[in-house]
Amino acid sequence: GDARCLLRKRGVPAELGITLTVDHDGKNETERARIIEAGGYINPDTGSVHLEKGSKNYRQPTRAWGDFEFAPAGIICTPEFTVVERSADGLELLVLGCDGVFEGKDMDTGTIFNKVEQSAPLLSIIRGESAATTKDRHTNEVPSNTVPDLGVLTESKPRVTDQLNQACEAVLLLGLDRGTTDNQSICIALLGRA
């Protein structure tokens, strides 16, 4: 469909995050060929799928659940799978967003992961920086200017959750600032050990 899933492993620069999904639209050559072979028409300007050339009724993603009207044009609901080996130490960051999140100018993998990290300082452990294991004896928390280790991060779940929520909002606002006009929804998950 028109959602993307991104993965960033611990110690990997934000710009080298992995896109786990393929955009299913008429601009994708494999999808385009499948639609045309099935008898559908792809608008060359928009990549949208039409039942026939000149039809005003169209669909944007080339894969969708329950779209029986466009099945003759090649719209299918067959998923694609990407299998990625998990890191031994866990700690991967997963971002799932609809197409509106990625439509803004320069809203690429690095930009999104950098914005997440800026908005959620506890996630600096993803960069693979040296970990702090010492808590402040008065507050029982890791000082904000240090990087927590995994154990301390686990103990800070409410703060991590709050920061992940703030990161979701920050990425959506960045998309608006960069010109997206489509709807946006996003989910960010911190994956622990496999």
Side-chain angles (χ1 to χ4, degrees):
D2 58 355
R4 283 189 199 161
C5 187
L6 312 175
L7 177 71
R8 180 174 176 199
K9 294 186 175 195
R10 184 179 189 175
V12 174
E15 296 75 22
L16 298 179
I18 305 165
T19 301
L20 299 176
T21 52
V22 174
D23 289 344
H24 295 129
D25 59 32
K27 295 175 184 173
N28 175 315
E29 286 302 319
T30 303
E31 294 293 293
R32 173 187 288 280
R34 186 178 51 71
I35 294 293
I36 292 170
E37 184 177 326
Y41 172 77
I42 300 283
N43 181 310
D45 297 324
T46 64
S48 57
V49 179
H50 299 256
L51 289 170
E52 56 190 36
K53 187 174 183 175
S55 169
K56 298 209 184 285
N57 198 8
Y58 67 91
R59 300 292 187 269
Q60 193 60 43
T62 55
R63 296 183 187 222
W65 286 313
D67 199 335
F68 301 113
E69 178 185 357
F70 273 75
I75 298 281
I76 61 172
C77 63
T78 306
E80 285 191 56
F81 295 93
T82 301
V83 178
V84 177
E85 189 171 328
R86 298 278 316 275
S87 296
D89 67 356
L91 278 186
E92 292 137 337
L93 193 61
L94 191 72
V95 174
L96 177 63
C98 69
D99 61 332
V101 173
F102 305 97
E103 279 186 359
K105 185 177 184 329
D106 298 324
M107 289 296 285
D108 56 27
T109 304
T111 300
I112 290 171
F113 281 128
N114 282 326
K115 180 52 90 174
V116 168
E117 194 173 296
Q118 290 168 7
S119 306
L122 283 172
L123 297 182
S124 57
I125 193 170
I126 294 293
R127 282 195 308 260
E129 294 178 349
S130 59
T133 56
T134 309
K135 294 182 183 181
D136 182 289
R137 62 186 176 95
H138 301 291
T139 64
N140 200 34
E141 292 185 359
V142 173
S144 61
N145 62 343
T146 60
V147 179
D149 70 5
L150 180 57
V152 174
L153 190 63
T154 302
E155 292 172 15
S156 304
K157 279 184 183 179
R159 286 180 47 214
V160 171
T161 300
D162 288 344
Q163 288 187 11
L164 288 173
N165 286 333
Q166 291 168 6
C168 286
E169 184 175 350
V171 170
L172 297 179
L173 290 172
L174 180 63
L176 289 173
D177 287 345
R178 294 196 174 187
T180 190
T181 56
D182 202 348
N183 62 312
Q184 296 187 87
S185 58
I186 190 170
C187 177
I188 301 174
L190 179 63
L191 305 178
R193 290 188 172 97

